[in-house]
Coordinates of all heavy atoms in Angstrom, one line a residue:
M144 N 31.3 -33.5 -13.9 CA 31.1 -32.1 -13.6 C 30.8 -31.3 -14.9 O 31.5 -31.6 -15.9 CB 32.3 -31.5 -12.9 CG 32.2 -30.0 -12.6 SD 33.6 -29.2 -11.8 CE 33.8 -30.1 -10.3
E145 N 29.9 -30.5 -14.9 CA 29.5 -29.7 -16.1 C 30.7 -28.8 -16.4 O 31.3 -28.2 -15.6 CB 28.3 -28.9 -15.8 CG 27.7 -28.1 -16.9 CD 26.5 -27.3 -16.6 OE1 25.7 -27.8 -15.8 OE2 26.3 -26.2 -17.2
I146 N 30.9 -28.6 -17.7 CA 32.1 -27.8 -18.2 C 31.9 -26.4 -17.7 O 32.9 -25.8 -17.3 CB 32.2 -27.9 -19.7 CG1 32.7 -29.3 -20.1 CG2 33.2 -26.9 -20.3 CD1 32.8 -29.6 -21.6
A147 N 30.8 -25.8 -17.8 CA 30.6 -24.4 -17.4 C 31.0 -24.2 -15.9 O 31.6 -23.2 -15.5 CB 29.2 -23.9 -17.6
L148 N 30.6 -25.2 -15.1 CA 30.9 -25.1 -13.6 C 32.4 -25.3 -13.4 O 33.0 -24.6 -12.6 CB 30.1 -26.2 -12.9 CG 30.5 -26.3 -11.4 CD1 30.2 -25.0 -10.7 CD2 29.7 -27.4 -10.7
A149 N 33.0 -26.2 -14.2 CA 34.5 -26.4 -14.1 C 35.2 -25.1 -14.5 O 36.2 -24.7 -13.8 CB 34.9 -27.6 -15.0
R150 N 34.8 -24.4 -15.5 CA 35.4 -23.2 -15.9 C 35.2 -22.1 -14.9 O 36.2 -21.3 -14.6 CB 34.8 -22.7 -17.3 CG 35.2 -23.6 -18.4 CD 34.5 -23.1 -19.7 NE 34.9 -21.7 -20.1 CZ 36.0 -21.4 -20.7 NH1 36.9 -22.3 -21.0 NH2 36.2 -20.1 -21.0
Q151 N 34.1 -22.0 -14.2 CA 33.8 -21.1 -13.2 C 34.8 -21.4 -12.0 O 35.3 -20.5 -11.4 CB 32.4 -21.1 -12.7 CG 31.4 -20.5 -13.7 CD 31.7 -19.0 -13.9 OE1 32.0 -18.3 -13.0 NE2 31.5 -18.6 -15.2
L152 N 34.9 -22.6 -11.6 CA 35.8 -23.0 -10.5 C 37.2 -22.7 -10.8 O 38.0 -22.2 -10.0 CB 35.6 -24.5 -10.2 CG 34.3 -24.9 -9.5 CD1 34.2 -26.4 -9.4 CD2 34.2 -24.2 -8.1
A153 N 37.7 -23.0 -12.1 CA 39.0 -22.7 -12.5 C 39.3 -21.2 -12.4 O 40.3 -20.7 -12.0 CB 39.3 -23.2 -13.9
S154 N 38.3 -20.4 -12.9 CA 38.5 -18.9 -12.9 C 38.5 -18.4 -11.5 O 39.3 -17.5 -11.1 CB 37.5 -18.2 -13.7 OG 36.2 -18.3 -13.2
F155 N 37.8 -19.0 -10.6 CA 37.8 -18.6 -9.2 C 39.1 -18.9 -8.6 O 39.7 -18.1 -7.9 CB 36.7 -19.3 -8.4 CG 36.7 -19.1 -6.9 CD1 36.2 -17.9 -6.4 CD2 37.2 -20.0 -6.1 CE1 36.3 -17.6 -5.1 CE2 37.3 -19.7 -4.7 CZ 36.8 -18.5 -4.2
V156 N 39.7 -20.1 -8.8 CA 41.0 -20.4 -8.3 C 42.1 -19.5 -8.9 O 42.9 -19.0 -8.1 CB 41.3 -21.9 -8.6 CG1 42.8 -22.2 -8.3 CG2 40.4 -22.8 -7.9
G157 N 42.0 -19.2 -10.1 CA 43.0 -18.3 -10.7 C 42.9 -16.9 -10.1 O 44.0 -16.3 -9.7
A158 N 41.7 -16.4 -9.9 CA 41.6 -15.1 -9.3 C 42.0 -15.1 -7.8 O 42.7 -14.2 -7.4 CB 40.1 -14.6 -9.4
L159 N 41.7 -16.2 -7.1 CA 42.1 -16.3 -5.7 C 43.6 -16.3 -5.6 O 44.2 -15.7 -4.7 CB 41.5 -17.6 -5.2 CG 41.7 -17.8 -3.7 CD1 41.1 -16.7 -2.9 CD2 41.2 -19.2 -3.2
L160 N 44.3 -17.0 -6.5 CA 45.8 -17.0 -6.4 C 46.4 -15.6 -6.6 O 47.3 -15.2 -5.8 CB 46.4 -18.0 -7.5 CG 46.1 -19.5 -7.3 CD1 46.5 -20.3 -8.5 CD2 46.7 -20.0 -6.0
I161 N 45.9 -14.9 -7.6 CA 46.4 -13.5 -7.8 C 46.0 -12.6 -6.6 O 46.9 -11.8 -6.1 CB 45.8 -12.9 -9.1 CG1 46.3 -13.7 -10.3 CG2 46.0 -11.4 -9.2 CD1 45.7 -13.3 -11.6
L162 N 44.8 -12.8 -6.0 CA 44.4 -12.0 -4.9 C 45.2 -12.3 -3.6 O 45.5 -11.4 -2.8 CB 42.9 -12.1 -4.7 CG 42.1 -11.4 -5.8 CD1 40.6 -11.8 -5.6 CD2 42.3 -9.9 -5.8
V163 N 45.6 -13.6 -3.4 CA 46.4 -13.9 -2.3 C 47.8 -13.2 -2.4 O 48.3 -12.7 -1.4 CB 46.6 -15.5 -2.2 CG1 47.7 -15.8 -1.2 CG2 45.3 -16.1 -1.7
A164 N 48.4 -13.2 -3.6 CA 49.6 -12.6 -3.8 C 49.5 -11.1 -3.6 O 50.3 -10.4 -2.9 CB 50.2 -12.9 -5.2
Y165 N 48.5 -10.5 -4.2 CA 48.3 -9.0 -4.0 C 48.0 -8.6 -2.6 O 48.6 -7.7 -2.1 CB 47.1 -8.6 -4.9 CG 46.8 -7.1 -4.8 CD1 47.6 -6.2 -5.3 CD2 45.6 -6.7 -4.1 CE1 47.3 -4.8 -5.2 CE2 45.3 -5.4 -4.0 CZ 46.2 -4.4 -4.6 OH 45.9 -3.1 -4.4
G166 N 47.1 -9.3 -1.9 CA 46.8 -9.0 -0.5 C 48.0 -9.3 0.4 O 48.3 -8.5 1.3
G167 N 48.8 -10.3 0.1 CA 50.0 -10.6 0.9 C 51.0 -9.5 0.7 O 51.6 -9.1 1.7
H168 N 51.1 -9.0 -0.5 CA 52.1 -7.9 -0.7 C 51.6 -6.6 0.0 O 52.4 -5.9 0.7 CB 52.2 -7.6 -2.2 CG 53.0 -6.4 -2.5 ND1 54.3 -6.2 -2.1 CD2 52.6 -5.3 -3.2 CE1 54.7 -5.0 -2.5 NE2 53.7 -4.4 -3.2
Q169 N 50.3 -6.3 -0.2 CA 49.8 -5.1 0.4 C 49.8 -5.1 1.9 O 50.0 -4.0 2.6 CB 48.3 -4.8 -0.1 CG 48.2 -4.5 -1.5 CD 49.0 -3.2 -1.9 OE1 48.9 -2.2 -1.2 NE2 49.7 -3.3 -3.0
M170 N 49.7 -6.2 2.6 CA 49.7 -6.4 4.0 C 51.1 -6.5 4.6 O 51.3 -6.6 5.8 CB 48.8 -7.5 4.5 CG 47.4 -7.4 4.0 SD 46.7 -5.9 4.7 CE 45.4 -6.6 5.6
G171 N 52.1 -6.6 3.7 CA 53.5 -6.8 4.1 C 53.9 -8.2 4.5 O 54.9 -8.4 5.1
W172 N 53.1 -9.1 4.1 CA 53.3 -10.5 4.4 C 54.1 -11.2 3.3 O 54.6 -12.3 3.5 CB 52.0 -11.3 4.6 CG 51.1 -10.8 5.7 CD1 51.5 -10.1 6.8 CD2 49.7 -10.9 5.7 NE1 50.4 -9.8 7.6 CE2 49.3 -10.2 6.9 CE3 48.8 -11.4 4.9 CZ2 48.0 -10.1 7.3 CZ3 47.4 -11.3 5.3 CH2 47.0 -10.7 6.5
M173 N 54.2 -10.6 2.2 CA 54.8 -11.3 1.0 C 55.7 -10.3 0.3 O 55.2 -9.2 0.0 CB 53.7 -11.8 0.1 CG 54.1 -12.9 -0.9 SD 52.7 -13.5 -1.7 CE 52.5 -15.0 -0.7
N174 N 56.9 -10.7 -0.1 CA 57.8 -9.9 -0.8 C 57.5 -10.0 -2.3 O 57.5 -11.2 -2.8 CB 59.3 -10.3 -0.5 CG 60.3 -9.5 -1.2 OD1 60.0 -8.8 -2.2 ND2 61.5 -9.6 -0.7
P175 N 57.3 -9.0 -3.1 CA 57.0 -9.1 -4.5 C 58.2 -9.7 -5.3 O 58.0 -10.1 -6.4 CB 56.7 -7.7 -4.9 CG 57.3 -6.8 -3.9 CD 57.3 -7.6 -2.7
R176 N 59.4 -9.8 -4.7 CA 60.5 -10.4 -5.4 C 60.6 -11.9 -5.0 O 61.5 -12.6 -5.6 CB 61.8 -9.6 -5.1 CG 61.8 -8.2 -5.6 CD 63.1 -7.6 -5.3 NE 63.0 -6.2 -5.6 CZ 63.5 -5.7 -6.8 NH1 64.0 -6.5 -7.7 NH2 63.4 -4.4 -7.0
A177 N 59.8 -12.3 -4.1 CA 59.9 -13.7 -3.7 C 59.3 -14.7 -4.7 O 58.4 -14.3 -5.5 CB 59.1 -13.9 -2.4
V178 N 59.8 -15.9 -4.7 CA 59.4 -16.9 -5.7 C 57.9 -17.2 -5.5 O 57.1 -17.2 -6.5 CB 60.2 -18.2 -5.5 CG1 59.6 -19.4 -6.3 CG2 61.7 -18.0 -5.9
A179 N 57.4 -17.3 -4.3 CA 56.0 -17.7 -4.0 C 55.1 -16.6 -4.6 O 54.1 -17.0 -5.2 CB 55.8 -17.8 -2.5
Y180 N 55.4 -15.4 -4.5 CA 54.6 -14.3 -5.0 C 54.5 -14.4 -6.5 O 53.4 -14.3 -7.1 CB 55.3 -12.9 -4.6 CG 54.6 -11.7 -5.2 CD1 53.5 -11.2 -4.5 CD2 55.0 -11.1 -6.4 CE1 52.8 -10.0 -5.0 CE2 54.3 -10.0 -6.9 CZ 53.3 -9.5 -6.2 OH 52.6 -8.4 -6.7
N181 N 55.6 -14.6 -7.2 CA 55.6 -14.7 -8.6 C 54.9 -16.0 -9.2 O 54.3 -16.0 -10.2 CB 57.0 -14.5 -9.2 CG 57.4 -13.0 -9.0 OD1 56.8 -12.1 -9.6 ND2 58.4 -12.8 -8.2
V182 N 55.1 -17.1 -8.4 CA 54.4 -18.3 -8.8 C 52.9 -18.1 -8.7 O 52.2 -18.5 -9.6 CB 54.9 -19.5 -7.9 CG1 54.0 -20.7 -8.1 CG2 56.3 -19.9 -8.3
L183 N 52.4 -17.5 -7.6 CA 51.0 -17.3 -7.5 C 50.5 -16.5 -8.6 O 49.4 -16.8 -9.2 CB 50.7 -16.6 -6.1 CG 50.8 -17.5 -4.9 CD1 50.8 -16.6 -3.6 CD2 49.8 -18.6 -4.8
N184 N 51.2 -15.4 -9.0 CA 50.8 -14.5 -10.1 C 50.8 -15.3 -11.4 O 49.9 -15.1 -12.2 CB 51.6 -13.3 -10.1 CG 51.1 -12.2 -9.3 OD1 50.0 -11.8 -9.4 ND2 51.9 -11.7 -8.3
A185 N 51.9 -16.0 -11.7 CA 52.0 -16.7 -12.9 C 50.9 -17.8 -13.1 O 50.3 -17.8 -14.2 CB 53.4 -17.3 -13.1
V186 N 50.7 -18.6 -12.1 CA 49.7 -19.6 -12.2 C 48.3 -19.0 -12.3 O 47.5 -19.4 -13.1 CB 49.9 -20.6 -11.1 CG1 48.7 -21.6 -11.1 CG2 51.2 -21.4 -11.1
G187 N 48.0 -18.1 -11.4 CA 46.7 -17.5 -11.4 C 46.4 -16.8 -12.7 O 45.3 -17.0 -13.3
S188 N 47.3 -16.0 -13.2 CA 47.0 -15.3 -14.5 C 47.1 -16.2 -15.7 O 46.3 -16.0 -16.7 CB 48.1 -14.2 -14.7 OG 49.4 -14.6 -14.7
G189 N 47.9 -17.3 -15.6 CA 47.8 -18.3 -16.7 C 46.5 -19.0 -16.8 O 45.9 -19.2 -17.9
I190 N 45.9 -19.3 -15.6 CA 44.6 -19.9 -15.6 C 43.5 -19.0 -16.2 O 42.7 -19.4 -17.0 CB 44.2 -20.3 -14.2 CG1 45.0 -21.5 -13.7 CG2 42.7 -20.7 -14.1 CD1 44.9 -21.8 -12.2
L191 N 43.6 -17.7 -15.7 CA 42.6 -16.8 -16.2 C 42.8 -16.5 -17.7 O 41.8 -16.3 -18.4 CB 42.7 -15.5 -15.4 CG 42.2 -15.6 -13.9 CD1 42.4 -14.3 -13.2 CD2 40.7 -16.0 -13.9
G192 N 44.0 -16.4 -18.1 CA 44.3 -16.2 -19.6 C 43.7 -17.3 -20.4 O 43.1 -17.1 -21.5
Y193 N 43.9 -18.6 -19.9 CA 43.3 -19.7 -20.7 C 41.8 -19.7 -20.7 O 41.2 -19.9 -21.7 CB 43.8 -21.0 -20.0 CG 43.2 -22.2 -20.6 CD1 43.7 -22.7 -21.8 CD2 42.2 -22.9 -20.1 CE1 43.2 -23.8 -22.5 CE2 41.6 -24.0 -20.7 CZ 42.1 -24.5 -21.9 OH 41.6 -25.6 -22.5
I194 N 41.2 -19.3 -19.6 CA 39.7 -19.2 -19.5 C 39.2 -18.1 -20.4 O 38.1 -18.3 -21.1 CB 39.3 -18.9 -18.0 CG1 39.6 -20.1 -17.1 CG2 37.8 -18.6 -18.0 CD1 38.9 -21.4 -17.4
A195 N 40.0 -17.1 -20.6 CA 39.6 -15.9 -21.5 C 39.6 -16.3 -23.0 O 39.1 -15.5 -23.8 CB 40.4 -14.7 -21.2
L196 N 40.2 -17.4 -23.3 CA 40.3 -17.7 -24.7 C 39.0 -18.2 -25.3 O 38.8 -18.1 -26.5 CB 41.4 -18.8 -24.9 CG 42.8 -18.4 -24.7 CD1 43.7 -19.6 -24.8 CD2 43.2 -17.4 -25.8
H197 N 38.1 -18.7 -24.5 CA 36.8 -19.2 -25.0 C 35.7 -18.8 -24.0 O 35.7 -19.4 -23.0 CB 36.8 -20.7 -25.2 CG 35.5 -21.2 -25.9 ND1 35.2 -20.9 -27.2 CD2 34.5 -21.9 -25.3 CE1 34.1 -21.5 -27.4 NE2 33.6 -22.1 -26.3
P198 N 34.8 -17.9 -24.3 CA 34.8 -17.1 -25.6 C 35.9 -16.1 -25.6 O 36.3 -15.6 -24.5 CB 33.4 -16.4 -25.5 CG 33.1 -16.3 -24.1 CD 33.7 -17.5 -23.4
F199 N 36.5 -15.8 -26.7 CA 37.7 -15.0 -26.9 C 37.3 -13.6 -26.4 O 36.4 -12.9 -26.9 CB 38.1 -15.0 -28.3 CG 39.4 -14.3 -28.5 CD1 40.6 -14.9 -28.1 CD2 39.5 -13.1 -29.1 CE1 41.8 -14.3 -28.3 CE2 40.7 -12.4 -29.3 CZ 41.9 -13.1 -28.9
Q200 N 38.1 -13.1 -25.5 CA 37.9 -11.7 -24.9 C 39.3 -11.1 -25.0 O 40.2 -11.3 -24.1 CB 37.4 -11.8 -23.5 CG 36.1 -12.5 -23.4 CD 35.7 -12.7 -21.9 OE1 36.2 -12.0 -21.0 NE2 34.9 -13.7 -21.7
I201 N 39.5 -10.3 -26.1 CA 40.9 -9.8 -26.4 C 41.5 -9.0 -25.2 O 42.7 -9.2 -24.9 CB 40.9 -8.9 -27.7 CG1 42.3 -8.5 -28.1 CG2 40.0 -7.7 -27.5 CD1 43.1 -9.7 -28.6
G202 N 40.8 -8.1 -24.6 CA 41.4 -7.3 -23.5 C 41.8 -8.2 -22.4 O 42.9 -8.0 -21.8
F203 N 41.0 -9.2 -22.0 CA 41.3 -10.1 -20.9 C 42.5 -11.0 -21.3 O 43.4 -11.3 -20.5 CB 40.1 -10.9 -20.6 CG 40.1 -11.5 -19.2 CD1 40.7 -11.0 -18.1 CD2 39.5 -12.8 -19.1 CE1 40.7 -11.6 -16.9 CE2 39.5 -13.4 -17.9 CZ 40.1 -12.8 -16.8
V204 N 42.5 -11.5 -22.5 CA 43.6 -12.3 -23.0 C 44.9 -11.6 -23.0 O 45.9 -12.1 -22.5 CB 43.3 -12.9 -24.4 CG1 44.5 -13.6 -25.0 CG2 42.1 -13.9 -24.4
V205 N 44.9 -10.4 -23.5 CA 46.2 -9.6 -23.5 C 46.6 -9.3 -22.0 O 47.8 -9.5 -21.7 CB 46.0 -8.2 -24.2 CG1 47.1 -7.3 -24.0 CG2 45.8 -8.5 -25.7
L206 N 45.7 -8.9 -21.2 CA 46.1 -8.6 -19.8 C 46.7 -9.8 -19.1 O 47.8 -9.7 -18.5 CB 44.8 -8.1 -19.0 CG 45.0 -8.0 -17.5 CD1 45.9 -6.8 -17.2 CD2 43.6 -7.9 -16.8
E207 N 46.0 -10.9 -19.2 CA 46.5 -12.1 -18.5 C 47.7 -12.7 -19.1 O 48.6 -13.2 -18.4 CB 45.3 -13.1 -18.4 CG 44.2 -12.7 -17.6 CD 44.5 -12.2 -16.1 OE1 45.5 -12.7 -15.6 OE2 43.8 -11.4 -15.6
T208 N 47.9 -12.6 -20.4 CA 49.0 -13.2 -21.0 C 50.3 -12.3 -20.6 O 51.3 -12.9 -20.3 CB 48.9 -13.2 -22.6 OG1 47.7 -14.0 -22.9 CG2 50.1 -13.7 -23.3
V209 N 50.2 -11.0 -20.7 CA 51.3 -10.2 -20.3 C 51.6 -10.3 -18.8 O 52.7 -10.4 -18.4 CB 51.0 -8.7 -20.6 CG1 52.0 -7.8 -20.0 CG2 50.9 -8.5 -22.1
W210 N 50.6 -10.4 -18.0 CA 50.7 -10.6 -16.5 C 51.5 -12.0 -16.3 O 52.4 -12.0 -15.5 CB 49.4 -10.7 -15.9 CG 49.4 -10.6 -14.4 CD1 50.2 -11.2 -13.5 CD2 48.5 -9.8 -13.6 NE1 49.8 -10.9 -12.2 CE2 48.8 -10.0 -12.2 CE3 47.4 -9.0 -13.9 CZ2 48.0 -9.4 -11.2 CZ3 46.7 -8.4 -12.9 CH2 47.0 -8.6 -11.6
T211 N 51.1 -13.0 -17.0 CA 51.8 -14.3 -16.9 C 53.3 -14.2 -17.3 O 54.2 -14.6 -16.6 CB 51.1 -15.4 -17.7 OG1 49.8 -15.5 -17.3 CG2 51.8 -16.7 -17.6
L212 N 53.5 -13.5 -18.5 CA 54.9 -13.4 -19.0 C 55.8 -12.6 -18.0 O 56.9 -13.0 -17.8 CB 54.9 -12.8 -20.4 CG 54.3 -13.6 -21.5 CD1 54.2 -12.8 -22.8 CD2 55.1 -14.9 -21.7
I213 N 55.3 -11.5 -17.5 CA 56.0 -10.7 -16.5 C 56.4 -11.6 -15.3 O 57.5 -11.5 -14.8 CB 55.3 -9.4 -16.2 CG1 55.3 -8.5 -17.4 CG2 56.0 -8.7 -15.0 CD1 54.4 -7.3 -17.3
S214 N 55.4 -12.3 -14.8 CA 55.6 -13.1 -13.6 C 56.6 -14.2 -13.8 O 57.5 -14.5 -13.0 CB 54.3 -13.7 -13.1 OG 53.4 -12.7 -12.8
V215 N 56.5 -14.8 -15.0 CA 57.5 -15.9 -15.3 C 58.9 -15.3 -15.5 O 59.9 -15.8 -15.0 CB 57.1 -16.7 -16.6 CG1 58.2 -17.6 -17.1 CG2 55.8 -17.5 -16.3
Y216 N 59.0 -14.1 -16.1 CA 60.3 -13.4 -16.3 C 60.9 -13.2 -14.9 O 62.1 -13.4 -14.7 CB 60.1 -12.1 -17.1 CG 61.4 -11.3 -17.0 CD1 62.5 -11.7 -17.8 CD2 61.5 -10.2 -16.2 CE1 63.7 -11.0 -17.7 CE2 62.7 -9.5 -16.1 CZ 63.8 -9.9 -16.9 OH 65.0 -9.2 -16.9
A217 N 60.0 -12.7 -14.0 CA 60.5 -12.4 -12.6 C 61.0 -13.7 -11.9 O 61.9 -13.6 -11.1 CB 59.4 -11.8 -11.8
L218 N 60.5 -14.8 -12.3 CA 61.0 -16.1 -11.7 C 62.3 -16.6 -12.3 O 63.1 -17.1 -11.6 CB 59.9 -17.2 -11.9 CG 58.7 -17.1 -11.1 CD1 57.6 -18.1 -11.6 CD2 59.0 -17.5 -9.6
V219 N 62.5 -16.3 -13.6 CA 63.7 -16.8 -14.2 C 64.9 -15.8 -14.4 O 66.0 -16.2 -14.8 CB 63.4 -17.4 -15.6 CG1 62.4 -18.6 -15.4 CG2 62.9 -16.4 -16.6
R220 N 64.6 -14.5 -14.1 CA 65.7 -13.5 -14.3 C 66.8 -13.8 -13.4 O 66.6 -14.3 -12.2 CB 65.1 -12.1 -14.2 CG 64.8 -11.8 -12.7 CD 64.4 -10.3 -12.6 NE 64.0 -10.1 -11.2 CZ 62.8 -9.7 -10.8 NH1 62.0 -9.3 -11.7 NH2 62.5 -9.6 -9.6
P221 N 68.0 -13.4 -13.8 CA 69.2 -13.6 -12.9 C 69.0 -12.7 -11.6 O 68.5 -11.6 -11.7 CB 70.3 -13.2 -13.7 CG 69.9 -13.1 -15.1 CD 68.4 -12.9 -15.1
R222 N 69.4 -13.3 -10.5 CA 69.3 -12.6 -9.2 C 70.6 -11.9 -9.0 O 71.7 -12.4 -9.3 CB 69.0 -13.5 -8.1 CG 67.8 -14.4 -8.2 CD 66.6 -13.6 -7.9 NE 65.4 -14.4 -8.0 CZ 64.2 -14.0 -8.4 NH1 64.1 -12.8 -8.8 NH2 63.2 -14.8 -8.5
R223 N 70.6 -10.7 -8.4 CA 71.8 -10.0 -8.1 C 72.3 -10.5 -6.7 O 71.5 -10.7 -5.8 CB 71.5 -8.5 -8.0 CG 71.4 -7.8 -9.3 CD 71.4 -6.3 -9.2 NE 70.0 -6.0 -9.3 CZ 69.4 -4.9 -9.0 NH1 70.1 -3.9 -8.5 NH2 68.2 -4.6 -9.3
I224 N 73.5 -10.7 -6.6 CA 74.1 -11.1 -5.4 C 74.3 -9.9 -4.5 O 74.9 -8.9 -4.9 CB 75.5 -11.8 -5.6 CG1 75.2 -13.1 -6.4 CG2 76.1 -12.1 -4.3 CD1 76.5 -13.8 -6.9
A225 N 73.8 -9.9 -3.2 CA 73.9 -8.8 -2.3 C 75.4 -8.6 -1.9 O 76.1 -9.6 -1.7 CB 73.0 -9.0 -1.1
D226 N 75.8 -7.4 -1.8 CA 77.2 -7.1 -1.4 C 77.4 -7.2 0.1 O 76.6 -7.0 0.9 CB 77.6 -5.7 -1.8 CG 77.6 -5.6 -3.4 OD1 77.9 -6.6 -4.0 OD2 77.4 -4.5 -3.9

């Protein structure tokens, strides 16, 4: 497979993962505190952040890197026990 096509497919998958999480939240099908929501965001933004490194696009790299870090933090932060 040609590298340019592989990059396009990877970026499509990354965007699709983020959009599934976003659409699921907006439609009320997905809780933004749920593991699945944050995994979709972390993986999708990680893929897009990696794709943005070449050619280097600073705005896109910053956006996707921060998005990934926030999503990973949401996955690993301590959960509060409900009373």
Side-chain angles (χ1 to χ4, degrees):
M144 178 183 298
E145 186 179 325
I146 290 179
L148 177 58
R150 291 177 59 80
Q151 290 295 323
L152 289 174
S154 66
F155 175 76
V156 168
L159 186 61
L160 293 173
I161 291 171
L162 291 171
V163 165
Y165 177 73
H168 171 62
Q169 292 300 316
M170 301 302 239
W172 302 331
M173 198 173 260
N174 181 343
R176 295 182 187 265
V178 170
Y180 177 85
N181 289 299
V182 167
L183 289 169
N184 272 304
V186 173
S188 59
I190 291 169
L191 291 176
Y193 177 77
I194 296 296
L196 289 173
H197 184 72
F199 189 74
Q200 300 171 25
I201 187 68
F203 197 38
V204 170
V205 169
L206 172 70
E207 296 304 333
T208 301
V209 172
W210 194 316
T211 302
L212 293 173
I213 291 170
S214 298
V215 169
Y216 172 75
L218 285 167
V219 299
R220 73 174 172 235
R222 304 282 183 214
R223 284 187 259 167
I224 298 173
D226 295 331

